[in-house]
Structures are given as C-alpha cells and as structure tokens.
Amino acid sequence: MRKEIYITDYNCVTPLGFDVSSNWNALLEGKSGVALHKIIENQEPFYASMIDSEKLNKEFNRFFDSAQNDSTGFTRLEKMFLLSLKPLVEKHQISDETAFILSTTKGNISLLKNQETLPEGVFLSNLAQKIADFFGFKTKPIVVSNACVSGVMAIALAKNMIQAGKYKDAFVVAGDEISEFVISGFNSFQAIGTDICKPYDKNRDGINIGEATAAVYITSEPNQNEKFSFKVLGDSAINDANHISGPSRTGDGLFASIKNAMTEANISVEKIDFISAHGTATIYNDEMEAIAFNRMGLQNIPLNSMKGYYGHCLGASGLLESIISMESALQNTLIPSKNFEETGTSQPLNIIKENQPAEIKYILKTASGFGGCNAAIVLEKC
Amino acid sequence: MRQLFWKNVKMKMMEKTDICTIQNSKIVLNNNIIFETPTENFSDFAKEAYKSLELNYPKFHKMDNLSKLAFLASEMILKDEDHSRTALVFANRSSSLDTDFKYQESINSQQNYFPSPAVFVYTLPNICVGEISIKHKMQTENAFFVLDEFDEQFLNDYAAQILRSGKADKVLCGWVELYQESYKAFVYLLTL
C-alpha cells in the first residue's frame, strides 16, 4: 500500500494579488492581469500579465524587515519567490526530511543582458539554493525545468519522492518572470496574441506571457489543524515524440499522460468534476488539447484555461492553475474560461462560460509545452 | 550502517545495463572506446562523431550543442531497439545556458536585433529529451532536472519510482552538462 500524499496549504503572487484570497476575489469579478506593457525598447508594447514592481517592492519590504534583506539583495523574481513561500514556511516546520522543489523555465535570465560571462545568479541551482538558504531548508534543492509542464511535474515529483520514502514532506515553489528574453523569443515565433488571449475561441491568435510565483505544501502526514487537504492521486508526463516546438496533431502525449494519471488514481472518466486545462490560445495547442480530451471521452467535463486572467506564466503556470482549481473546489465555484465566445476547435469541449456553483471533488490538471512534453495530475478534495 | 545496507539492497533490485560517457572528445560505451578524435572543439567533435558512427539523421545538424551531446550518448545505448516503454530522466547543472547566452547576444543590441525562433526553441534544457524522444518515437515518461552537481542517487531514486509504478519498463538516465567548450555526458540504462 502506497502512502497517501496531500496538499494542505498554498499561496500565490500574481498581478491579481499577493495571496490566494485576493486572487480568488479578482477572478470572481472577472478581472484580468493582462494589459499592454512596453517591454522591449523601440518596439510596440505587448499584451502581458505583469506584476507592478512598485507594489511588489512595497509588499516585500512590509514582510521582510531590513535585517533580513539588506545584506544580499534579491532580484525581482527572488522577491516573488520569497513572498509566495513565506506564509507556508511560517505554518509548517522544515525538517531534515523536508524536500525543497523549485519549478522554473528561465529563472533570473534577465541578469544575462549585456554580460560577457555568466553571472552566478543565472544558474537555476544557485537561485534555488539562495531561496532555500533564506528559509533554512536542510536538503538539497531540486529544480524541475521541463518547459511549460514544470509546475504540474513539480507536484508529481513531490508526491513520488515522498511515496518512495525519500522525504516526509515538501515545499514546492514555481515561478517565472516576464523578460525581454522570453517576449522576444515568443514574438520571433509569431506566437504572441494581439489582445488579451482567447483560449479555445474561434478568434484566438496567440499567447500572452505572464509572470507569477506559486507555492504549495505537500505531506504524507497532515496534522489535525489543516484547513483543507487535497490528495494527489495520480500523475504522468508523456512526450509526444513529434516535434520540438509544434504541438502534436494527434494529442498522443497529452492523451497518454491523462490516461496514465487516471489509471494510477484509479478513477473513471465520469468521476472527474472539473478540468483545469492548459489552453494557451495558440491555434495548434488548443486544437491538440481538444483532440486529446475527446479521445479520453472528457469532452463533457467542465473545463477552463486561466490564461485569459494570468497569461502564460511558463514554469509557474501549472502550479498556479492547480492552486486556483483547488480554491475553486473549496469555494464550490467554477470560474469561466475568460474570453471564450465561440467554439474554435474541431472537436467540442465543455468550456465554462460564467461563474457557476458546483460540487467539485475530483480535479484533472493538464499542461503541455515545448520539447513535446505534457503532464497531467489528478487531485481529490478530502 | 543501516542506511548503507538498505541502499545496497535497493541497488541490487535495479540493474544498470549500459553506460555511455562522452568527454574530452571521446565516446566510451561500456568501457569500450567507440569514437575518439584529437579535435577539441565540441561542434567539430560532434560532427566527426556523427559521420564516423554513420548516424544518418540530418536533424542532428539543426540541434544545439546540448542536444547533440545528449543525442550522441543516448544513440550509443538505444540503438535500433524497441524503446516504447523506456522513460527518459535527464539532468545537468547549466540548464540551456549555452544556447541562452547565444540567444541573448542576438538581442543585446537594438541596432543588431535578430532573435531567431530556431535558436530560441533550444533555450529550454528539456528540448534535448524531446530530440531523443522524436528519434526513437518514445512516447514515454520524461523529465529534466537542474542540480548543482551530478547526483546519481537522485536520478536513480526518481527512475526507481517510475519503474515501480509500472509507468515504464526501462529508464534511460543521463547527466548531460555542457557550457561552451566544457562538456560531459554520463548516460545509462536502468531496468528493474
């Protein structure tokens, strides 16, 4: 009998708020963090979901006194990481059997600009160690860097390593920030949308890049005082083996990831109450997802993409969206897939169009990304 | 002592069948030198190895250096066998910083701004795992981790739980570290 693994606490830092409740309230009101921002000199502004730096600094200084932050100095992204983790670390003790898992795609990549040699801060393991040292983690940090599925995989990694007896519990944090590096890259792919993105819609024309950090606490031994708990029932991350940047036309990898995760969870399709999908709002990604969900027989399950609210937060998106979907379950409310108007995939999906009350017990969370990677996890509200 | 004993038992349960290392312009498979050249530059070394080993996979030339390194080492072990149930678990220290640095150079100057999608796509470390998956049509579990140093125990622990969960029958594990002219691959196949 394998140990049961629970998520019992979470937090996030996004343009819609610096904790889960402010995010939830903004989502209920249909607010989006996406707006026009000038990111690259001499270029037109891009639609992106960006945290106000002044607000971030104010919040950081409010929570971290000068004694803690005068000596080292933290990058913008590091401040976001620290703010998202702090409330969890205060509530749950770190032991020498506690894992520290960090999910990111590009970390402090902004530090690379105009450099002739690599600054220490751009190494992802240095970034993770810096955050770990700040809070006094005792085990070696593990960085998951698997493109846009990293955040979902980070939850799976914590589950699997605790089940294998390597750790008792884990703090999982995920984050990426908006940078000229990433914006110029996606722009070179002509993948950036011309407005707030429209996942699954007929008129979708590309992604918005977003930024956020998110953190969860995962344990095999929840204590009696936890306000909530979600069991991590199953996971899988299967490659399409098709193309390094183009989504699969068959949805093979996503289909297999969902199938494996549900097999491990030992639940049937009709038990799933809600799908928190990836939905980047590119033509080919959303079409691929629709095919995979239909192949699984999941086309009637209520589904949303959070990209219209937060943009695509890369390494943070999977964890952030998992948190919002758990909050959705706790609040018994399904949140609409923002900006969806008209079906834009060749196969139908049950896309949520307005806030609606719902009993949510089983959640399926999926993600897909460059390199042909896909990931799925199944969560159960306890 | 107790911990050591437990580790030994675990190692016996998982079997390491093939090992390939690439460093200092040399490819070694299971203690046999497969390819060696005095060429020091990585790109030239990779090109010579590709030709000499008759890999015949034109996509190789489009890959970035990290992918070439991971691909060459994996090719030695995977060969033409069936790997539809072989997972891929890779890690390194420098992520994709080798290509990140090149991409950043293409956008440093406003006067000379030429971001390329063909370069940008390789600014993720897991792309090398995607390349191996594509070559061998491996629609299997895959993961990429960034660690401050090679940690075989971690890779083996992660591989072991994949094998025990039944999500794969074999796991190709790899440490594939590359930044500019400094590189090392250590890739091995694990089965239960």
Side-chain angles (χ1 to χ4, degrees), chain A residues 255-364:
Chain A
F255 169 78
S257 301
I258 297 171
K259 197 158 180 266
N260 288 352
M262 289 184 50
T263 303
E264 187 183 7
N266 196 20
I267 65 163
S268 54
V269 166
E270 56 274 17
K271 280 265 181 85
I272 298 287
D273 296 301
F274 162 60
I275 304 169
S276 173
H278 191 52
T280 60
T282 65
I283 301 278
Y284 295 110
N285 173 76
D286 294 8
E287 172 65 15
M288 178 280 285
E289 287 182 38
I291 291 168
F293 288 128
N294 274 270
R295 284 179 66 188
M296 270 307 293
L298 287 161
Q299 64 275 13
N300 297 320
I301 311 297
L303 168 152
N304 69 19
S305 156
M306 299 306 290
K307 302 295 190 289
Y309 303 96
Y310 293 119
H312 190 345
C313 303
L314 308 176
S317 65
L319 195 66
L320 172 63
E321 290 156 11
S322 295
I323 291 169
I324 301 301
S325 65
M326 288 185 274
E327 189 64 14
S328 222
L330 291 178
Q331 304 286 347
N332 299 309
T333 306
L334 292 171
I335 293 286
S337 197
K338 194 175 174 60
N339 276 343
F340 174 77
E341 286 162 17
E342 210 180 326
T343 298
T345 51
S346 67
Q347 301 194 38
L349 292 169
N350 180 7
I351 293 166
I352 305 161
K353 294 190 186 69
E354 54 192 16
N355 293 337
Q356 58 187 72
E359 183 68 43
I360 305 164
K361 189 171 168 68
Y362 294 102
I363 300 166
L364 171 65

Side-chain angles (χ1 to χ4, degrees), chain A residues 13 26 89 184 187 192 214 251 321 355 365 373 381:
Chain A
V13 171
V89 174
S184 65
N187 192 45
I192 297 189
E321 290 156 11
N355 293 337
K365 172 72 200 127
C373 53
K381 182 168 72 173

Side-chain angles (χ1 to χ4, degrees), chain B residues 34-119:
Chain B
I34 297 290
F35 175 75
E36 201 176 7
T37 168
T39 309
E40 281 177 15
N41 171 287
F42 178 81
S43 295
D44 296 335
F45 156 72
K47 203 183 285 175
E48 287 178 32
Y50 171 87
K51 268 189 207 157
S52 152
L53 297 166
E54 298 176 359
L55 294 178
N56 197 18
Y57 188 66
K59 271 186 198 162
F60 179 81
H61 303 294
K62 290 186 183 172
M63 294 179 195
D64 77 338
N65 283 344
L66 176 62
S67 290
K68 282 179 180 165
L69 177 68
F71 183 87
L72 283 174
S74 304
E75 232 23 49
M76 300 304 107
I77 295 175
L78 296 176
K79 303 194 179 82
D80 291 328
E81 288 153 25
D82 175 23
H83 287 289
S84 56
R85 296 270 305 154
T86 303
L88 294 164
V89 177
F90 279 61
N92 75 5
R93 176 171 188 272
S94 298
S95 180
S96 54
L97 280 167
D98 183 62
T99 299
D100 292 0
F101 195 83
K102 289 174 189 157
Y103 179 78
Q104 181 64 49
E105 283 182 323
S106 75
I107 58 166
N108 268 337
S109 152
Q110 290 300 318
Q111 288 70 45
N112 202 7
Y113 205 81
F114 53 96
S116 147
V119 179

